[in-house]
Amino acid sequence: MKLNKIDIHNFKCFEDVSFELHPRLNVLMGNNGTGKSSLLEAFRILIGSLYLGYDKYENKITMPGIIKDDLRLRNLDGNLEPQIPVYVSCEGVLSTCYMPENKRSISWKRAMETLGGSTTIRDAKDLLQASAKIQSSVREGLGQTIPLVAYFSTDRYKKERKDTDISSVGSRMRGYFNALDTTTSTKFFLDLYYTETLDQVQNGTVSTLLSAVNSAVTTCVNCRNLKYNLKTQELLIEYNNDESLPFNLLSDGVRCTLAMVMEIAFRSYLLNPHLGKEAPIKTNGVVLIDEIDLHLHPSWQIHVLNDLRKAFPEIQFIVSTHAPLVV
């Protein structure tokens, strides 16, 4: 999945704005209050529309829509009047096997046409059809690659949300569980590290899932390996100087980046286990990150985007930043 172009009308601080997007990396810069986070919220609604044809998992796969707070307010003689209609629309592509016949791209639009009304889906028929094809391919076990979508707000890992309840076994669709929530939880991948490590010990095997995640992590974080200590029941980060630190004792910057990379890699594997340890580098999709420089030292800001592109070369990243060094 890739987004090529978006159009926004009456959404938050934007009256009318259009953007053409790069297939691999897009960086939003601007002063505070200029609408970077608002744009990412619009993108979140658009990529969340991928869920239109998916099976419903209560409190797990939730499709974001336009809400009252998203409406642009216009000052008319001292009165703030909400502007209707509000919409976000997009042109994009998915893998050929999910695209409508004879189409190179598809367009979809989500709108609120009356104050307090629901978000429309009638102008998203092509995406609904593609989404249903994805769900069908998973249900029938066709082994086709399905796209990742994920959103990381500035509150990521700062406020722990309720347990995502992602178990070590289950449907491939669990790779989407809570992926677009504004807050997230580190518990699900720490639990997966535990269960996968336990399985390795009991069966004398090497976990393909952990190999995939460790490869992505060592690309983005200056460490040698990750391992779960079954005795102390904590995730350890091993550095090249043979020192190791528990995950919960890492600095905010390292822990935040490490957790995000682990989550993208885990979700890539859960969605596409047939890709094995290459799931992070072969899974396509769209990942939104608000303030990519969050808690990062300037020396890390310089290479964080290149690291992510190397670890996840098929993902389209759309990120915001305040840091010139990131650019």
Side-chain angles (χ1 to χ4, degrees):
M1 184 181 190
K2 296 286 190 298
L3 306 183
N4 296 334
K5 181 182 178 181
I6 71 159
D7 294 285
I8 298 173
H9 178 70
N10 283 334
F11 187 86
K12 291 189 179 289
C13 61
F14 296 102
E15 180 177 3
D16 281 294
V17 66
S18 298
F19 287 97
E20 292 187 358
L21 300 171
H22 190 277
R24 291 195 62 194
L25 178 64
N26 301 269
V27 182
L28 309 176
M29 287 194 72
N31 292 331
N32 291 335
T34 53
K36 299 185 299 299
S37 296
S38 296
L39 283 175
L40 289 176
E41 285 290 336
F43 285 119
R44 175 171 167 261
I45 293 169
L46 288 167
I47 65 174
S49 301
L50 184 69
Y51 294 168
L52 280 168
Y54 288 178
D55 290 342
K56 307 306 177 188
Y57 294 82
E58 186 177 1
N59 299 323
K60 300 294 189 298
I61 294 182
T62 305
M63 185 173 61
I66 299 170
I67 61 176
K68 184 177 178 181
D69 288 345
D70 293 332
L71 273 63
R72 185 175 70 91
L73 298 178
R74 184 180 177 190
N75 191 330
L76 296 173
D77 298 325
N79 300 307
L80 297 177
E81 300 295 342
Q83 300 299 291
I84 292 289
V86 54
Y87 67 77
V88 292
S89 66
C90 180
E91 176 194 312
V93 297
L94 287 94
S95 298
T96 304
C97 56
Y98 305 126
M99 291 285 288
E101 189 174 356
N102 299 322
K103 285 195 174 183
R104 293 185 177 181
S105 66
I106 58 175
S107 298
W108 63 97
K109 177 181 177 181
R110 308 295 307 284
M112 180 187 287
E113 297 176 339
T114 60
L115 188 62
S118 59
T119 307
T120 63
I121 63 172
R122 67 172 181 271
D123 296 317
K125 292 180 180 178
D126 282 346
L127 188 61
L128 172 59
Q129 180 183 351
S131 175
K133 285 183 179 180
I134 293 172
Q135 179 63 76
S136 178
S137 74
V138 170
R139 191 179 296 115
E140 296 173 12
L142 300 182
Q144 296 172 330
T145 300
I146 61 178
L148 166 68
V149 290
Y151 170 73
F152 297 93
S153 73
T154 53
D155 286 331
R156 59 188 180 272
Y157 312 115
K158 184 169 63 176
K159 295 186 298 184
E160 293 286 308
R161 72 173 313 281
K162 61 183 181 295
D163 187 6
T164 53
D165 193 29
I166 301 179
S167 63
S168 56
V169 294
S171 170
R172 290 171 63 184
M173 304 303 281
R174 71 195 193 282
Y176 291 116
F177 285 6
N178 308 114
L180 297 177
D181 284 12
T182 55
T183 55
T184 188
S185 173
T186 58
K187 185 178 185 300
F188 94 86
F189 54 73
L190 294 178
D191 286 350
L192 277 174
Y193 245 99
Y194 169 74
T195 57
E196 288 292 313
T197 301
L198 195 62
D199 184 70
Q200 288 184 136
V201 172
Q202 289 179 334
N203 297 305
T205 58
V206 176
S207 169
T208 306
L209 169 57
L210 295 189
S211 296
V213 173
N214 284 355
S215 177
V217 167
T218 54
T219 299
C220 297
V221 180
N222 185 25
C223 66
R224 185 181 64 198
N225 190 36
L226 300 180
K227 72 175 184 180
Y228 198 92
N229 188 317
L230 293 173
K231 187 174 183 179
T232 61
Q233 294 201 355
E234 58 188 1
L235 181 64
L236 297 178
I237 290 76
E238 297 181 333
Y239 291 96
N240 294 324
N241 59 4
D242 294 328
E243 291 185 359
S244 61
L245 276 176
F247 175 81
N248 64 343
L249 293 183
L250 297 173
S251 68
D252 285 345
V254 176
R255 188 171 65 250
C256 184
T257 302
L258 175 61
M260 183 171 62
V261 172
M262 288 174 64
E263 182 169 341
I264 297 172
F266 266 125
R267 291 188 184 279
S268 297
Y269 184 89
L270 294 175
L271 292 171
N272 297 301
H274 60 283
L275 296 179
K277 65 181 181 181
E278 294 187 321
I281 63 174
K282 289 188 175 181
T283 295
N284 65 73
V286 182
V287 172
L288 312 175
I289 307 172
D290 202 358
E291 293 190 21
I292 184 68
D293 52 292
L294 193 66
H295 305 305
L296 288 185
H297 186 274
S299 63
W300 202 341
Q301 293 175 10
I302 293 174
H303 58 79
V304 61
L305 288 179
N306 284 335
D307 294 343
L308 287 172
R309 293 169 70 189
K310 184 177 180 181
F312 309 103
E314 295 301 317
I315 294 292
Q316 180 184 38
F317 286 98
I318 305 174
V319 309
S320 73
T321 185
H322 291 110
L325 287 176
V326 169
V327 178

